Amino acid sequence: CQEGVQWLAPLMRRRACPATPSEMMRLLEGTKVPFAELPEASPLREALESLQAQGSVAVVCALPCGRAKLCAAGERGAECLTLFVNQHEMRELRETLQEFFCPPSPAAAAEAVAPRGGGA
């Protein structure tokens, strides 16, 4: 389902809503996000409020690696936004977003460079 959003988002223009990484991560928690809880200057909030009609949207989060984007299908309700993602897609999208925006912990970084096994 989400692969199709990547192709449709550029064509949707008005219904393609930009989200920051933190906004996308919040949406990927799987709960409804009221517009009023988004910052007033948020491009996502501005895009949702400018639609003035309920319906499907493409939520687009730009990744810092060139022109890559993370896209998800959503539903703009009267006062909130909900993503149309199943649990598997939600987990994959969260992992992708964390990979690009969350630096590894010192323990994880040390584990990544530590030699495997204990043989001589």
Side-chain angles (χ1 to χ4, degrees), residues 16-68:
C17 302
T20 65
S22 61
E23 289 169 338
M24 182 64 96
M25 194 60 83
R26 181 163 179 211
L27 288 165
L28 289 169
E29 292 173 359
T31 59
K32 295 179 180 181
V33 176
F35 308 155
E37 291 182 10
L38 297 170
E40 283 189 38
S42 163
L44 177 59
R45 180 175 177 170
E46 290 174 7
L48 292 167
E49 289 177 341
S50 73
L51 289 174
Q52 300 176 346
Q54 298 179 32
S56 298
V57 296
V59 181
V60 182
C61 179
L63 299 175
C65 57
R67 294 189 283 191

Side-chain angles (χ1 to χ4, degrees), residues 2 24-25 27-30 70 72 83-99:
Q2 302 311 308
M24 182 64 96
M25 194 60 83
L27 288 165
L28 289 169
E29 292 173 359
L70 193 66
L83 292 185
F84 288 140
V85 292
N86 63 37
Q87 292 300 314
H88 175 74
E89 291 170 328
M90 196 173 298
R91 185 174 49 255
E92 284 188 352
L93 290 167
R94 269 196 309 262
E95 288 171 3
T96 300
L97 199 54
Q98 288 171 340
E99 184 176 316

